[in-house]
mmCIF file with all atom_site columns, all heavy atoms in Angstrom:
data_model
loop_
_atom_site.group_PDB
_atom_site.id
_atom_site.type_symbol
_atom_site.label_atom_id
_atom_site.label_alt_id
_atom_site.label_comp_id
_atom_site.label_asym_id
_atom_site.label_entity_id
_atom_site.label_seq_id
_atom_site.pdbx_PDB_ins_code
_atom_site.Cartn_x
_atom_site.Cartn_y
_atom_site.Cartn_z
_atom_site.occupancy
_atom_site.B_iso_or_equiv
_atom_site.pdbx_formal_charge
_atom_site.auth_seq_id
_atom_site.auth_comp_id
_atom_site.auth_asym_id
_atom_site.auth_atom_id
_atom_site.pdbx_PDB_model_num
ATOM 1  N N   . LEU A 1 73 ? 9.609  18.244 2.885  1.00 96.00 ? 75 LEU A N   1
ATOM 2  C CA  . LEU A 1 73 ? 8.257  17.917 3.450  1.00 96.00 ? 75 LEU A CA  1
ATOM 3  C C   . LEU A 1 73 ? 8.351  17.673 4.911  1.00 96.00 ? 75 LEU A C   1
ATOM 4  O O   . LEU A 1 73 ? 7.503  18.112 5.686  1.00 96.00 ? 75 LEU A O   1
ATOM 5  C CB  . LEU A 1 73 ? 7.720  16.691 2.693  1.00 96.00 ? 75 LEU A CB  1
ATOM 6  C CG  . LEU A 1 73 ? 6.414  16.177 3.151  1.00 96.00 ? 75 LEU A CG  1
ATOM 7  C CD1 . LEU A 1 73 ? 5.346  17.232 3.023  1.00 96.00 ? 75 LEU A CD1 1
ATOM 8  C CD2 . LEU A 1 73 ? 6.032  14.870 2.389  1.00 96.00 ? 75 LEU A CD2 1
ATOM 9  N N   . TRP A 1 74 ? 9.317  16.891 5.369  1.00 96.00 ? 76 TRP A N   1
ATOM 10 C CA  . TRP A 1 74 ? 9.472  16.609 6.806  1.00 96.00 ? 76 TRP A CA  1
ATOM 11 C C   . TRP A 1 74 ? 9.720  17.884 7.517  1.00 96.00 ? 76 TRP A C   1
ATOM 12 O O   . TRP A 1 74 ? 9.173  18.070 8.695  1.00 96.00 ? 76 TRP A O   1
ATOM 13 C CB  . TRP A 1 74 ? 10.551 15.575 6.988  1.00 96.00 ? 76 TRP A CB  1
ATOM 14 C CG  . TRP A 1 74 ? 10.828 15.180 8.445  1.00 96.00 ? 76 TRP A CG  1
ATOM 15 C CD1 . TRP A 1 74 ? 11.976 15.238 9.133  1.00 96.00 ? 76 TRP A CD1 1
ATOM 16 C CD2 . TRP A 1 74 ? 9.842  14.708 9.382  1.00 96.00 ? 76 TRP A CD2 1
ATOM 17 N NE1 . TRP A 1 74 ? 11.766 14.770 10.417 1.00 96.00 ? 76 TRP A NE1 1
ATOM 18 C CE2 . TRP A 1 74 ? 10.501 14.461 10.600 1.00 96.00 ? 76 TRP A CE2 1
ATOM 19 C CE3 . TRP A 1 74 ? 8.496  14.480 9.311  1.00 96.00 ? 76 TRP A CE3 1
ATOM 20 C CZ2 . TRP A 1 74 ? 9.831  13.963 11.707 1.00 96.00 ? 76 TRP A CZ2 1
ATOM 21 C CZ3 . TRP A 1 74 ? 7.754  14.018 10.423 1.00 96.00 ? 76 TRP A CZ3 1
ATOM 22 C CH2 . TRP A 1 74 ? 8.450  13.804 11.633 1.00 96.00 ? 76 TRP A CH2 1
ATOM 23 N N   . GLY A 1 75 ? 10.555 18.809 7.031  1.00 95.00 ? 77 GLY A N   1
ATOM 24 C CA  . GLY A 1 75 ? 10.704 20.098 7.697  1.00 95.00 ? 77 GLY A CA  1
ATOM 25 C C   . GLY A 1 75 ? 9.399  20.865 7.841  1.00 95.00 ? 77 GLY A C   1
ATOM 26 O O   . GLY A 1 75 ? 9.091  21.441 8.856  1.00 95.00 ? 77 GLY A O   1
ATOM 27 N N   . ALA A 1 76 ? 8.579  20.847 6.761  1.00 95.00 ? 78 ALA A N   1
ATOM 28 C CA  . ALA A 1 76 ? 7.265  21.474 6.793  1.00 95.00 ? 78 ALA A CA  1
ATOM 29 C C   . ALA A 1 76 ? 6.358  20.876 7.867  1.00 95.00 ? 78 ALA A C   1
ATOM 30 O O   . ALA A 1 76 ? 5.670  21.620 8.617  1.00 95.00 ? 78 ALA A O   1
ATOM 31 C CB  . ALA A 1 76 ? 6.616  21.349 5.459  1.00 95.00 ? 78 ALA A CB  1
ATOM 32 N N   . LEU A 1 77 ? 6.376  19.554 7.994  1.00 95.00 ? 79 LEU A N   1
ATOM 33 C CA  . LEU A 1 77 ? 5.601  18.901 9.003  1.00 95.00 ? 79 LEU A CA  1
ATOM 34 C C   . LEU A 1 77 ? 6.026  19.179 10.438 1.00 95.00 ? 79 LEU A C   1
ATOM 35 O O   . LEU A 1 77 ? 5.266  19.249 11.375 1.00 95.00 ? 79 LEU A O   1
ATOM 36 C CB  . LEU A 1 77 ? 5.539  17.340 8.791  1.00 95.00 ? 79 LEU A CB  1
ATOM 37 C CG  . LEU A 1 77 ? 4.896  16.904 7.509  1.00 95.00 ? 79 LEU A CG  1
ATOM 38 C CD1 . LEU A 1 77 ? 4.783  15.384 7.470  1.00 95.00 ? 79 LEU A CD1 1
ATOM 39 C CD2 . LEU A 1 77 ? 3.484  17.495 7.372  1.00 95.00 ? 79 LEU A CD2 1
ATOM 40 N N   . LEU A 1 78 ? 7.352  19.419 10.540 1.00 94.00 ? 80 LEU A N   1
ATOM 41 C CA  . LEU A 1 78 ? 7.868  19.833 11.906 1.00 94.00 ? 80 LEU A CA  1
ATOM 42 C C   . LEU A 1 78 ? 7.378  21.208 12.257 1.00 94.00 ? 80 LEU A C   1
ATOM 43 O O   . LEU A 1 78 ? 7.034  21.456 13.407 1.00 94.00 ? 80 LEU A O   1
ATOM 44 C CB  . LEU A 1 78 ? 9.396  19.775 11.855 1.00 94.00 ? 80 LEU A CB  1
ATOM 45 C CG  . LEU A 1 78 ? 10.063 18.367 11.748 1.00 94.00 ? 80 LEU A CG  1
ATOM 46 C CD1 . LEU A 1 78 ? 11.541 18.474 11.716 1.00 94.00 ? 80 LEU A CD1 1
ATOM 47 C CD2 . LEU A 1 78 ? 9.639  17.504 12.949 1.00 94.00 ? 80 LEU A CD2 1
ATOM 48 N N   . PHE A 1 79 ? 7.389  22.173 11.265 1.00 92.00 ? 81 PHE A N   1
ATOM 49 C CA  . PHE A 1 79 ? 6.788  23.425 11.536 1.00 92.00 ? 81 PHE A CA  1
ATOM 50 C C   . PHE A 1 79 ? 5.296  23.333 11.944 1.00 92.00 ? 81 PHE A C   1
ATOM 51 O O   . PHE A 1 79 ? 4.841  24.017 12.884 1.00 92.00 ? 81 PHE A O   1
ATOM 52 C CB  . PHE A 1 79 ? 6.846  24.323 10.279 1.00 92.00 ? 81 PHE A CB  1
ATOM 53 C CG  . PHE A 1 79 ? 8.177  25.155 10.215 1.00 92.00 ? 81 PHE A CG  1
ATOM 54 C CD1 . PHE A 1 79 ? 9.113  24.933 9.228  1.00 92.00 ? 81 PHE A CD1 1
ATOM 55 C CD2 . PHE A 1 79 ? 8.387  26.157 11.148 1.00 92.00 ? 81 PHE A CD2 1
ATOM 56 C CE1 . PHE A 1 79 ? 10.281 25.716 9.158  1.00 92.00 ? 81 PHE A CE1 1
ATOM 57 C CE2 . PHE A 1 79 ? 9.543  26.936 11.105 1.00 92.00 ? 81 PHE A CE2 1
ATOM 58 C CZ  . PHE A 1 79 ? 10.507 26.735 10.057 1.00 92.00 ? 81 PHE A CZ  1
ATOM 59 N N   . MET A 1 80 ? 4.558  22.482 11.283 1.00 92.00 ? 82 MET A N   1
ATOM 60 C CA  . MET A 1 80 ? 3.122  22.222 11.556 1.00 92.00 ? 82 MET A CA  1
ATOM 61 C C   . MET A 1 80 ? 3.051  21.807 13.026 1.00 92.00 ? 82 MET A C   1
ATOM 62 O O   . MET A 1 80 ? 2.049  22.230 13.735 1.00 92.00 ? 82 MET A O   1
ATOM 63 C CB  . MET A 1 80 ? 2.540  21.293 10.634 1.00 92.00 ? 82 MET A CB  1
ATOM 64 C CG  . MET A 1 80 ? 2.281  21.823 9.227  1.00 92.00 ? 82 MET A CG  1
ATOM 65 S SD  . MET A 1 80 ? 1.894  20.576 8.033  1.00 92.00 ? 82 MET A SD  1
ATOM 66 C CE  . MET A 1 80 ? 0.446  19.833 8.726  1.00 92.00 ? 82 MET A CE  1
ATOM 67 N N   . ARG A 1 81 ? 3.902  20.910 13.456 1.00 91.00 ? 83 ARG A N   1
ATOM 68 C CA  . ARG A 1 81 ? 3.852  20.383 14.841 1.00 91.00 ? 83 ARG A CA  1
ATOM 69 C C   . ARG A 1 81 ? 4.100  21.514 15.876 1.00 91.00 ? 83 ARG A C   1
ATOM 70 O O   . ARG A 1 81 ? 3.501  21.553 16.908 1.00 91.00 ? 83 ARG A O   1
ATOM 71 C CB  . ARG A 1 81 ? 4.757  19.215 14.996 1.00 91.00 ? 83 ARG A CB  1
ATOM 72 C CG  . ARG A 1 81 ? 4.298  17.922 14.408 1.00 91.00 ? 83 ARG A CG  1
ATOM 73 C CD  . ARG A 1 81 ? 5.291  16.845 14.480 1.00 91.00 ? 83 ARG A CD  1
ATOM 74 N NE  . ARG A 1 81 ? 4.743  15.498 14.175 1.00 91.00 ? 83 ARG A NE  1
ATOM 75 C CZ  . ARG A 1 81 ? 4.603  15.022 12.994 1.00 91.00 ? 83 ARG A CZ  1
ATOM 76 N NH1 . ARG A 1 81 ? 4.947  15.754 11.955 1.00 91.00 ? 83 ARG A NH1 1
ATOM 77 N NH2 . ARG A 1 81 ? 4.017  13.790 12.802 1.00 91.00 ? 83 ARG A NH2 1
#
Side-chain angles (χ1 to χ4, degrees):
L75 176 61
W76 181 232
L79 295 187
L80 291 176
F81 269 115
M82 287 167 59
R83 283 175 166 87

